[in-house]
C-alpha cells in the first residue's frame, strides 16, 4: 500500500537547482517549498523560508521545540589495528531533544573488534550536535542552514600512529515517518582499543566557517584510554570536516561567516550484550567570542536550565524570565505538552479514499485498503494493475546516485542525492572542482557525490581557507609557542602595533597565564595556547589562577546527596537489592545513568534527577546517558502556578517533581484531560492529601525535607508549613473535620501531627517504629491507621487520633505494606503490599480480612473511591484501576513523562458528611 506523508516536508521536494539563464519563480515551481514554508520571489530567482513556528532551509522545515529523529544505515570497511572489519548496512538511529541541545545516537550490531575502538570517533554522532545545537540569540544550528539534504565529509588522522579514517554522511531528506534519512560510509584505519578499556572524552568546542554552500571545521581533539590495570594513555587526533549543501543564492538574508559550537558533554559507550555503540552529546552554538563576551546572566533558554517540556520551545524574555510554548502539533502550557490528534480533531487535510493516521506532532494520510495514490499524490483510486515500482524493485533509478519516489498510478521519479545532478534520465556527479569551491592556494579533488580540498605546500588550513604557514623557514621541531613568538615578533603574522605576543615557558611551550601588554587583559590557556573559557580578567582585576587546582571548599549538600542520605537513613543504612538509591557524582549532582536495585531497569536523568523520556531500558541493557548542562549561578525562579482542575471527581498523584491531575469519568480515567497540576522542581513529592474545606492540596517532600500546601486557585504558589526536624517525611493524612494533619517520617521513625498551618506540632509515636510509611484516617470515627514495613516484623497499626489506644491491626502474612487507604463505603482498611503483591482489606476491628487482588506488580500508594481502588505502581510507572468486587484490573494510566509515581488521593467536589 502506498503512503503519502503530509507531515513536513513532501517527499517529492526536489533538490534545489538554479538556472542562471531562465529565472525561476514561485509560480513556476509550485510545491518546491515545504508546506510549512512560504515562497519569496527575488530579482534573480526565488527562495523558500520556513514559517515562524518552524525552522530549516525552507525546502525542509521542522517545528521549533519538537523532538526529532534520524534513521539511517552505516556501511563500509575499516582496518582496526591490523584486523579488517566490514559494516554491512547496519542500523543507525538518533533522538534529539532540541530545546536542551541534546542528541542521542545508537549504532546497532557493530562488528567486533570495531566496537570499543570506535568510541573516540565522536564525530559520527557529533554531526547531530551541530545539526540540532541549542541556538544562542542571532545564531543558527546546522538544520536551519542545510535542511535535511547535505553531505558531511570527515577526515581523522590519529596520533601517534598516523592512522587515517574517512567518513561520509549523506542526508537525503525525510522518510515516510518524517525522520531524516542518513547514509554513513566509513573507511580507513583506526587504532585498536581493547574491550576492557574505558574511554574518556572531555568537553570541547569547534569553530565552523561558512562560505557559500560549504561549512568547514578543523579541530584537534584529545581523549584518554584507561586499561583494565589502570594504565592511562592520552591520545589525540586531528579532525577536518566539511558539509556541502545546496544554498539559495537569491535571498538577501546574510548567512553567518563563523560560529562556535560548544560541546558541554560528550559520552560514548559500547554495550557488548546489545552490540550497540552509543554517542550522547549536548551542545549549543553561538559567537566565536562567547568565552570573553558571555553575559553575566544567561537566559535559561540558552543554558538548558529551563523547565519547558521536551516538546516545547523556550522563548526568552527580560532577565531570567522565559515562557514555554508547545511545538506545532502539540498542546498544553509549555511545561507539559501532549500530542494533538489532528485526525480526531478534524484538522487533517486528506484526499479522497484516504485514511488519517495520527503521528507525534503531525499526521499522515494513507490510502484505504485496496486503493493506491493517483498521480496527483493526494487522492486515492482503486488499485488495479498499478504497482509501486519503488517497493517492488521495478523502477529504473540508480540507487547509488538517486532515490525512487512514488507518484501513484505506477508512476515514479528518481530524485538525485546531494552532490549529483540530473542529466536526462540519469543522475551524474557534480564536479565541484570546476565551480572553484576550494581556496585559490589549495588543490581540489572531485569525489563521487562530493569533493575534497587540500592546502598547497607552504600553506595551512582546511582547504577552503588557506594561509601561509607561519612556520615556513623556522624549524618545525620547535615548540608551537616558540614558533608563534618568532613569527609575531618578526611581523609575519600581522601588524606590530598592539600585537599580542605569547608568553612561553623555559621549554618553549605556552605558559599557563597569558596577558596582553596593551589591553591589560589576562587569561589562562591550554597546551595549544587556546584560551580557557571563563578565565579572562579585566585590567586592574588581578590575574586568574592558571594551572593551579582550586582549593577545596566546604559546600552544602546537593539535592541528590540529601535524597540519597534520606533514603539510606530510611533503610537503616543497609538498603536491600530491590531498593532504589539515587547515584550521585563526586560533585553531588545526579549521575546521568540511574538504575533501580536488582530489577535491572536503568534510565537517564537530567540535572534534577528527572527521568528522560524514552531512555528506560529493559534488564540487561544500559542506555547512553548525558546530563543537561550545569545550572547557572543565578537560578530562574518561574512561578509554579497551579493549573486549577475542573469540577468533578479526580485523582491527584505525586510524580517526584510534580503533582499530576487525572480526572474521572464515573470511575474510568479521562486520560485526554490529564495534565500536570503543579510543578515543583527540585522536590521529591511522596505523600499527598487534600483538604476539601479550603480546597488545598498538601504534600511531603523527602528531597527538601518539608511539608507544603497550595490552594487549587489560579496563580496559587506553594507554602511551606513544616521545615524543621524532618528527615524523610513520607505518608500524609488530612483530618478535614478537626483541621489537623498527620505524617510519618521513616528517617526519625516518628508519627507526628499539627494544625493545618503547621502550628501545635506534636509527636504521637516515637517508639516501636522501624519504617513507618503510609498513613490514613477515618475522620468521621476519629481513628488513625498506619503501616510499618519493618522487614523483620511488618505490621499495620491503629489508634485514636489523639494517639491513645494504640494497637496492632494486622501483622501476619504481610511483606511491604506500602499503600494504605480507608474505604468510607465499606468501612474497611485496605492496603497494597509490594512484598506479597496483594491488595487486601479488613474491618477496623481486625475481622473480615479478604484479598481483593493477588497479582500486583510493585504498588506504592492506594486510594479507594466508589467501587474501585486506584494505586500507583513502580513497575508500570502509572496509576492502576482495580474493581473492588471482582478484583479485576480494569485500566491503567501511564503519564507520557515516565518516572516513579508515589502518593495518590481522590478529590471530590464536596466534603463528606461528618455523620457516623
Amino acid at each position: 500500500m502506498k503512503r503519502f506523508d503530509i507531515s513536513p516536508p513532501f517527499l517529492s521536494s526536489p533538490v534545489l537547482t538554479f538556472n542562471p539563464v531562465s529565472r525561476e519563480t514561485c509560480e513556476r515551481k509550485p510545491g518546491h517549498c515545504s508546506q510549512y514554508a512560504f515562497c519569496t520571489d527575488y530579482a534573480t530567482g526565488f527562495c523558500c523560508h520556513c514559517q515562524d513556528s518552524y525552522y530549516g532551509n525552507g525546502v525542509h522545515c521542522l517545528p521549533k521545540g519538537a523532538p526529532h529523529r534520524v534513521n539511517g544505515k552505516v556501511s563500509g570497511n575499516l582496518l582496526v589495528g591490523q584486523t579488517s572489519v566490514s559494516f554491512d548496512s547496519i542500523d543507525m538511529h538518533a533522538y534529539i531533544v532540541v530545546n536542551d541541545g541534546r542528541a542521542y545516537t545508537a549504532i546497532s550490531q557493530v562488528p567486533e573488534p570495531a566496537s570499543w575502538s570506535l568510541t573516540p570517533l565522536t564525530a559520527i554522532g557529533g554531526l547531530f550536535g551541530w545539526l540540532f545545537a541549542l541556538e544562542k540569540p542571532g545564531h543558527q544550528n546546522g538544520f536551519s542552514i542545510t535542511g535535511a539534504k547535505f553531505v558531511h565529509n570527515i577526515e581523522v588522522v590519529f596520533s601517534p600512529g598516523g592512522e587515517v579514517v574517512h567518513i561520509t554522511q549523506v542526508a537525503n531528506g525525510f522518510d515516510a515517518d518524517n525522520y531524516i534519512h542518513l547514509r554513513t560510509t566509513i573507511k580507513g584505519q583506526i587504532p585498536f582499543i581493547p574491550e576492557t578499556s574505558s574511554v574518556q572524552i572531555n568537553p570541547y568546542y569547534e569553530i565552523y566557517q561558512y562560505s557559500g554552500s560549504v561549512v568547514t571545521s578543523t579541530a584537534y581533539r584529545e581523549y584518554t584510554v584507561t586499561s583494565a590495570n589502570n594504565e592511562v594513555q592520552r591520545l589525540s587526533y586531528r579532525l577536518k570536516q566539511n558539509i556541502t549543501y545546496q544554498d539559495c543564492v537569491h535571498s538577501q538574508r546574510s548567512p553567518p561567516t563563523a560560529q562556535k559550537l560548544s560541546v558541554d558533554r560528550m559520552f560514548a559507550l559500547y554495550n557488548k550484550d546489545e552490540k550497540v555503540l552509543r554517542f550522547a552529546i549536548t551542545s549549543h552554538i553561538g559567537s566565536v567570542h562567547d568565552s570573553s563576551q558571555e553575559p553575566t546572566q544567561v537566559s535559561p533558554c540558552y543554558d538548558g536550565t529551563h523547565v519547558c517540556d521536551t516538546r516545547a520551545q523556550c522563548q526568552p524574555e527580560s532577565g531570567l524570565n522565559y515562557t514555554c510554548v508547545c511545538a506545532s502539533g502539540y498542546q498544553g502550557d509549555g511545561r507539559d505538552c501532549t500530542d494533538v490528534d489532528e485526525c480526531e480533531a478534524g484538522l487533517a487535510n486528506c484526499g479522497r479514499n484516504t485514511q488519517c493516521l495520527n503521528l507525534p506532532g503531525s499526521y499522515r494520510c494513507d490510502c484505504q485498503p485496496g486503493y493506491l495514490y493517483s498521480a496527483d499524490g493526494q487522492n486515492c483510486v482503486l488499485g488495479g494493475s498499478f504497482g509501486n515500482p519503488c517497493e517492488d524493485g521495478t523502477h529504473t533509478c540508480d540507487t547509488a546516485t538517486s532515490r525512487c519516489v512514488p507518484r501513484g498510478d505506477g508512476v515514479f521519479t528518481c530524485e538525485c542525492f546531494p552532490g549529483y545532478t540530473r542529466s536526462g534520465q540519469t543522475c551524474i556527479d557534480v564536479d565541484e572542482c570546476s565551480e572553484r569551491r576550494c581556496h585559490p592556494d589549495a588543490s581540489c579533488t572531485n569525489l563521487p557525490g562530493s569533493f575534497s580540498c587540500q592546502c598547497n605546500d607552504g600553506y595551512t588550513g582546511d582547504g577552503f581557507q588557506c594561509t601561509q604557514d607561519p612556520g615556513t623557514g623556522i624549524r618545525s621541531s620547535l615548540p608551537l609557542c616558540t614558533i608563534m613568538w618568532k613569527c609575531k615578533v618578526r611581523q609575519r603574522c600581522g601588524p606590530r602595533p598592539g600585537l599580542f605576543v605569547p608568553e612561553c615557558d623555559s621549554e618553549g611551550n605556552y605558559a599557563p597565564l597569558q596577558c596582553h601588554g596593551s589591553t591589560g587583559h589576562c587569561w589562562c590557556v591550554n597546551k595549544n595556547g587556546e584560551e580557557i573559557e571563563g578565565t579572562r580578567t579585566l585590567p586592574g582585576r588581578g590575574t586568574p589562577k592558571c594551572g593551579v587546582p582550586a582549593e577545596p571548599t566546604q559546600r552544602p549538600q546537593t539535592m541528590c546527596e540529601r535524597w540519597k542520605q534520606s533514603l539510606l537513613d530510611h533503610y537503616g543504612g543497609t538498603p536491600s537489592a530491590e531498593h532504589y538509591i539515587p547515584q550521585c557524582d563526586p560533585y553531588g549532582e545526579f549521575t546521568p545513568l540511574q538504575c533501580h536495585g536488582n530489577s535491572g531497569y536503568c534510565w537517564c536523568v537530567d540535572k534534577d534527577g528527572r527521568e528522560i523520556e524514552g531512555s528506560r531500558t529493559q534488564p540487561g541493557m544500559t542506555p547512553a546517558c548525558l546530563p543537561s548542562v550545569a545550572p547557572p549561578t543565578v537560578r530562574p525562579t518561574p512561578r509554579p502556578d497551579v493549573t486549577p482542575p475542573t469540577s468533578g471527581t479526580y485523582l491527584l498523584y505525586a510524580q517526584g517533581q510534580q503533582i499530576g491531575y487525572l480526572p474521572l469519568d464515573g470511575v474510568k480515567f479521562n486520560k485526554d484531560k490529564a495534565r500536570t497540576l503543579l510543578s515543583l522542581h527540585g522536590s521529591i513529592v511522596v505523600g499527598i492529601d487534600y483538604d476539601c474545606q479550603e480546597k488545598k492540596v498538601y504534600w511531603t517532600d523527602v528531597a527538601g525535607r518539608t511539608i507544603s500546601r497550595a490552594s487549587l486557585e489560579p496563580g496559587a504558589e506553594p507554602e511551606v508549613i513544616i521545615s524543621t526536624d524532618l528527615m524523610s517525611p513520607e505518608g500524609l493524612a488530612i483530618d478535614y473535620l478537626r483541621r489537623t494533619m498527620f505524617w510519618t517520617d521513616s528517617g526519625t521513625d516518628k508519627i507526628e501531627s499539627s494544625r493545618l498551618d503547621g502550628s501545635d506540632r506534636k509527636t504521637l509515636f516515637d517508639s516501636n517504629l522501624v519504617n513507618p510509611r503510609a498513613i490514613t484516617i477515618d475522620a468521621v470515627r476519629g481513628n488513625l491507621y498506619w503501616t510499618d514495613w519493618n522487614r523483620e516484623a511488618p505490621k499495620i497499626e491503629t489508634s485514636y487520633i489523639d494517639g491513645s489506644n494504640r494497637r496492632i491491626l494486622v501483622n501476619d502474612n504481610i511483606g511491604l505494606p506500602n499503600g494504605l487507604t480507608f474505604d468510607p463505603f465499606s468501612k474497611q482498611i485496605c492496603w497494597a503490599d509490594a512484598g506479597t503483591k496483594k491488595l487486601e482489606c479488613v474491618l477496623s476491628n481486625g475481622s473480615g480480612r479478604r484479598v481483593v487482588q493477588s497479582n500486583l506488580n510493585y504498588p506504592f500508594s492506594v486510594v479507594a473511591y466508589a467501587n474501585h481502588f486506584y494505586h500507583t505502581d513502580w513497575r508500570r510507572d502509572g496509576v492502576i484501576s482495580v474493581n473492588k468486587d471482582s478484583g479485576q484490573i480494569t485500566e491503567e494510566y501511564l503519564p507520557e513523562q515516565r518516572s516513579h509515581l508515589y502518593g495518590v488521593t481522590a478529590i471530590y467536589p464536596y466534603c463528606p458528611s461528618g455523620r457516623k
Side-chain angles (χ1 to χ4, degrees):
M1 181 177 67
K2 290 190 283 187
R3 301 185 301 178
F4 176 70
D5 186 358
I6 65 90
S7 57
F10 292 114
L11 285 174
S12 58
S13 297
V15 176
L16 275 171
T17 56
F18 302 100
N19 188 334
V21 178
S22 176
R23 176 177 175 269
E24 294 179 337
T25 64
C26 296
E27 185 177 357
R28 290 183 179 182
K29 298 284 285 188
H32 179 81
C33 301
S34 164
Q35 67 175 20
Y36 299 103
F38 58 89
C39 185
T40 303
D41 283 314
Y42 295 96
T44 57
F46 74 94
C47 289
C48 308
H49 303 295
C50 296
Q51 299 170 6
D52 287 344
S53 58
Y54 291 80
Y55 74 110
N57 67 345
V59 178
H60 306 105
C61 300
L62 287 171
K64 292 181 179 178
H68 306 318
R69 289 178 171 82
V70 178
N71 284 340
K73 298 289 185 178
V74 180
S75 303
N77 295 284
L78 197 62
L79 196 62
V80 183
Q82 299 301 318
T83 304
S84 180
V85 176
S86 295
F87 297 83
D88 186 16
S89 292
I90 59 178
D91 289 332
M92 170 190 278
H93 302 281
Y95 179 79
I96 297 96
V97 182
V98 176
N99 64 1
D100 278 339
R102 284 183 282 127
Y104 301 89
T105 306
I107 305 176
S108 304
Q109 299 302 312
V110 178
E112 298 287 357
S115 52
W116 301 90
S117 302
L118 281 171
T119 52
L121 210 55
T122 57
I124 298 174
L127 167 66
F128 307 118
W130 171 79
L131 200 64
F132 296 108
L134 188 66
E135 297 175 327
K136 290 291 188 73
H139 295 85
Q140 296 177 302
N141 61 21
F143 186 80
S144 298
I145 296 170
T146 67
K149 288 193 176 183
F150 56 84
V151 178
H152 180 214
N153 283 303
I154 310 168
E155 180 191 75
V156 180
V157 180
F158 289 88
S159 181
E163 298 90 345
V164 181
V165 64
H166 293 274
I167 303 170
T168 302
Q169 296 179 297
V170 180
N172 45 35
F174 293 94
D175 63 16
D177 294 317
N178 202 39
Y179 300 162
I180 294 177
H181 187 266
L182 189 78
R183 293 184 297 115
T184 299
T185 304
I186 184 169
K187 60 182 179 179
Q189 184 178 12
I190 60 175
F192 172 70
I193 297 178
E195 67 175 70
T196 54
S197 302
S198 61
V199 175
Q200 176 69 37
I201 302 143
N202 295 324
Y204 58 88
Y205 69 86
E206 295 172 341
I207 303 299
Y208 284 79
Q209 306 285 344
Y210 300 78
S211 176
S213 58
V214 178
V215 185
T216 63
S217 176
T218 302
Y220 173 83
R221 196 160 303 160
E222 294 182 331
Y223 61 98
T224 302
V225 178
T226 305
S227 65
N229 56 3
N230 292 324
E231 292 183 359
V232 178
Q233 284 184 292
R234 289 179 173 83
L235 306 172
S236 64
Y237 56 78
R238 190 188 76 244
L239 176 71
K240 289 186 178 181
Q241 303 178 79
N242 70 71
I243 301 160
T244 57
Y245 62 100
Q246 188 64 59
D247 191 18
C248 187
V249 298
H250 310 295
S251 173
Q252 305 302 310
R253 301 183 181 184
S254 300
T257 56
Q259 295 186 122
K260 179 179 179 180
L261 179 75
S262 297
V263 175
D264 306 292
R265 302 285 191 278
M266 170 55 79
F267 179 86
L269 174 71
Y270 178 72
N271 187 301
K272 186 175 181 179
D273 296 328
E274 296 179 83
K275 293 186 177 180
V276 174
L277 174 65
R278 302 181 189 273
F279 297 102
I281 184 174
T282 181
S283 58
H284 64 271
I285 197 161
S287 168
V288 294
H289 305 295
D290 272 354
S291 60
S292 58
Q293 297 181 0
E294 192 72 29
T296 55
Q297 287 188 332
V298 181
S299 169
C301 293
Y302 305 131
D303 62 16
T305 58
H306 61 80
V307 294
C308 300
D309 193 285
T310 56
R311 293 152 295 191
Q313 182 186 7
C314 182
Q315 297 183 343
E317 296 181 346
S318 60
L320 295 176
N321 296 322
Y322 63 94
T323 56
C324 304
V325 179
C326 290
S328 178
Y330 296 90
Q331 60 186 354
D333 60 4
R335 297 184 183 182
D336 186 18
C337 300
T338 57
D339 176 56
V340 174
D341 190 335
E342 291 87 354
C343 302
E344 184 176 333
L347 302 175
N349 184 24
C350 295
R352 293 188 303 274
N353 303 316
T354 62
Q355 55 190 12
C356 182
L357 175 65
N358 187 55
L359 299 173
S362 186
Y363 66 99
R364 186 175 70 221
C365 301
D366 286 348
C367 285
Q368 295 177 2
Y371 287 79
L372 298 172
Y373 269 107
S374 60
D376 64 11
Q378 192 162 1
N379 299 292
C380 296
V381 296
L382 275 172
S385 59
F386 299 125
N388 186 341
C390 296
E391 291 184 356
D392 59 27
T394 59
H395 66 83
T396 57
C397 299
D398 183 350
T399 57
T401 62
S402 63
R403 63 183 297 186
C404 179
V405 179
R407 301 300 184 190
D409 298 350
V411 178
F412 67 92
T413 57
C414 302
E415 183 178 322
C416 296
F417 289 144
Y420 294 88
T421 187
R422 180 165 297 283
S423 176
Q425 299 301 312
T426 62
C427 295
I428 61 174
D429 176 56
V430 174
D431 185 0
E432 292 88 353
C433 294
S434 65
E435 301 174 0
R436 298 183 178 180
R437 295 195 183 185
C438 298
H439 191 271
D441 292 318
S443 58
C444 180
T445 303
N446 187 52
L447 301 171
S450 185
F451 67 102
S452 66
C453 302
Q454 185 75 36
C455 291
N456 297 330
D457 292 341
Y459 292 84
T460 61
D462 54 21
F464 297 94
Q465 296 293 328
C466 298
T467 57
Q468 189 173 6
D469 188 346
T472 302
I474 301 175
R475 291 186 300 117
S476 59
S477 59
L478 290 175
L480 181 59
C481 183
T482 302
I483 294 174
M484 293 307 297
W485 184 89
K486 290 186 176 184
C487 171
K488 293 195 174 186
V489 169
R490 293 174 183 175
Q491 301 187 44
R492 297 182 57 181
C493 297
R496 185 161 186 159
L499 181 70
F500 163 68
V501 179
E503 293 286 338
C504 308
D505 62 19
S506 59
E507 297 179 358
N509 299 311
Y510 284 101
L513 174 65
Q514 297 287 327
C515 293
H516 195 295
S518 299
T519 66
H521 288 252
C522 293
W523 59 93
C524 302
V525 298
N526 60 20
K527 69 177 186 179
N528 298 317
E530 299 166 329
E531 181 175 346
I532 299 174
E533 290 192 43
T535 62
R536 181 174 289 254
T537 59
L538 300 177
R541 301 290 180 88
T543 58
K545 293 182 178 180
C546 303
V548 179
E551 295 182 0
T553 57
Q554 191 69 28
R555 59 171 174 79
Q557 275 195 320
T558 63
M559 180 176 65
C560 182
E561 291 169 334
R562 286 189 290 125
W563 188 22
K564 180 178 181 179
Q565 187 59 50
S566 174
L567 292 178
L568 286 174
D569 294 341
H570 179 100
Y571 302 134
T574 55
S576 60
E578 70 262 18
H579 291 145
Y580 169 66
I581 297 293
Q583 293 97 54
C584 314
D585 66 17
Y587 303 99
E589 303 302 326
F590 286 96
T591 57
L593 174 67
Q594 299 282 320
C595 295
H596 184 268
N598 63 0
S599 70
Y601 288 91
C602 295
W603 58 93
C604 304
V605 298
D606 61 15
K607 63 182 183 303
D608 295 322
R610 293 177 297 184
E611 181 173 349
I612 294 173
E613 180 183 5
S615 67
R616 180 168 292 230
T617 59
Q618 298 295 319
M621 300 181 183
T622 305
C625 301
L626 185 74
S628 298
V629 295
T633 303
V634 180
R635 291 295 302 274
T637 55
R639 288 167 53 92
D641 293 349
V642 169
T643 304
T646 56
S647 60
T649 302
Y650 53 91
L651 302 179
L652 293 182
Y653 59 87
Q655 191 178 10
Q657 301 187 81
Q658 64 185 27
I659 294 176
Y661 160 77
L662 177 58
L664 297 177
D665 185 0
V667 293
K668 293 184 176 295
F669 297 146
N670 191 342
K671 301 178 184 179
D672 293 337
K673 294 185 178 179
R675 63 175 186 268
T676 298
L677 178 80
L678 184 61
S679 295
L680 300 162
H681 303 290
S683 301
I684 302 295
V685 180
V686 177
I688 185 171
D689 208 353
Y690 178 70
D691 173 24
C692 58
Q693 289 192 13
E694 295 185 347
K695 293 182 171 56
K696 291 183 178 180
V697 59
Y698 290 71
W699 65 89
T700 62
D701 177 1
V702 299
R705 300 183 181 185
T706 58
I707 300 175
S708 303
R709 67 181 178 183
S711 174
L712 296 186
E713 300 293 337
E717 296 189 20
E719 171 191 5
V720 177
I721 49 180
I722 301 288
S723 61
T724 60
D725 300 323
L726 297 176
M727 184 172 293
S728 184
E730 297 184 13
L732 182 69
I734 301 296
D735 184 347
Y736 67 95
L737 293 177
R738 299 167 186 82
R739 319 304 297 152
T740 304
M741 65 178 176
F742 305 84
W743 68 90
T744 64
D745 192 318
S746 64
T748 61
D749 295 334
K750 291 181 180 179
I751 294 177
E752 298 183 74
S753 70
S754 75
R755 304 294 294 173
L756 293 184
D757 60 2
S759 62
D760 195 22
R761 181 175 176 178
K762 299 176 182 176
T763 298
L764 296 181
F765 308 107
D766 59 3
S767 61
N768 297 321
L769 292 172
V770 177
N771 284 311
R773 163 68 57 78
I775 190 167
T776 191
I777 188 171
D778 175 2
V780 175
R781 293 164 183 77
N783 292 328
L784 194 65
Y785 304 89
W786 65 92
T787 70
D788 185 342
W789 54 274
N790 172 12
R791 291 188 176 278
E792 302 301 323
K795 60 186 175 181
I796 300 173
E797 292 188 275
T798 181
S799 74
Y800 297 146
I801 57 172
D802 61 1
S804 62
N805 194 27
R806 176 183 179 180
R807 60 197 185 278
I808 293 176
L809 185 65
V810 180
N811 64 351
D812 61 321
N813 297 321
I814 56 176
L816 295 173
N818 276 339
L820 187 69
T821 184
F822 174 72
D823 181 7
F825 297 93
S826 66
K827 307 299 187 295
Q828 291 180 319
I829 307 302
C830 304
W831 66 96
D833 195 315
T836 65
K837 312 300 182 185
K838 294 179 180 179
L839 174 59
E840 298 186 71
C841 295
V842 70
L843 290 172
S844 58
N845 61 6
S847 64
R849 181 172 176 177
R850 69 184 184 96
V851 176
V852 179
Q853 231 292 334
S854 59
N855 194 28
L856 303 181
N857 287 300
Y858 199 103
F860 187 88
S861 179
V862 64
V863 67
Y865 170 69
N867 65 337
H868 274 71
F869 292 107
Y870 303 95
H871 74 272
T872 55
D873 184 273
W874 276 18
R875 285 285 186 269
R876 298 292 296 158
D877 286 341
V879 183
I880 315 297
S881 172
V882 178
N883 185 285
K884 288 182 183 177
D885 301 321
S886 66
Q888 294 296 312
I889 296 176
T890 57
E891 61 176 335
E892 66 177 5
Y893 168 70
L894 307 179
E896 288 192 21
Q897 294 182 349
R898 302 295 294 278
S899 62
H900 282 334
L901 273 61
Y902 296 86
V904 62
T905 189
I907 312 300
Y908 315 134
Y910 58 88
C911 271
S913 92
R915 294 176 297 174
K916 298 182 181 181

